Amino acid sequence: NIRTLKPGAPPTNVSLAVTLLKLIDVDQNTFDFEVELKVILSWVDERIDTTCAGSGQSGQEIISGDVCGTFWTPPLLWAPTTTQPEVIDDSGLYTLVGASTTPASGQEVAPNLARSIAW
């Protein structure tokens, strides 16, 4: 069960950061190339009331009962190409609870953070 937005809430803005780690191969005749990228999506989400540290990393299923599995995460879609991207490392879901959110039992609010964030 993914936690839903409150009725009338604005859409969630998602930030994207892409870092080129390696340019591995370039074919000058076909203009094909192979790269290694680091892609990070981040967003502010008031539904986050629990700190998560890598939940679901490397494609592992988040265990039943883990509240981190109830937080919304944006899908990452790639444009059609001749080959689909290969995910080498999925760092999973990380969250911090902000001061404007009531933390879940036993959770602490991140110092100097106004709103809950995820990446």
Side-chain angles (χ1 to χ4, degrees):
N1 281 347
I2 302 296
R3 297 179 185 192
T4 57
L5 288 171
K6 294 176 184 172
T12 301
N13 291 320
V14 177
S15 298
L16 170 69
V18 179
T19 304
L20 175 62
L21 301 176
K22 291 181 189 175
L23 178 59
I24 300 166
D25 188 28
V26 177
D27 185 325
Q28 295 178 356
N29 296 320
T30 63
F31 302 106
D32 288 335
F33 60 94
E34 184 178 339
V35 295
E36 187 174 320
L37 304 171
K38 181 175 189 175
V39 178
I40 298 175
L41 303 174
S42 60
W43 60 98
V44 173
D45 193 332
E46 296 306 324
R47 296 167 288 185
I48 294 171
D49 60 0
T50 302
T51 300
C52 303
S55 295
Q57 61 185 278
S58 298
Q60 295 177 352
E61 189 172 328
I62 298 175
I63 60 172
S64 179
D66 183 347
V67 70
C68 295
T70 67
F71 297 138
W72 174 81
T73 55
L76 184 57
L77 306 174
W78 298 94
T81 62
T82 55
T83 58
Q84 283 299 309
E86 176 185 355
V87 176
I88 296 171
D89 179 30
D90 178 351
S91 299
L93 175 66
Y94 286 83
T95 64
L96 290 174
V97 181
S100 66
T101 304
T102 303
S105 177
Q107 295 291 310
E108 294 185 20
V109 172
N112 303 319
L113 184 63
R115 300 186 315 176
S116 296
I117 61 170
W119 67 98

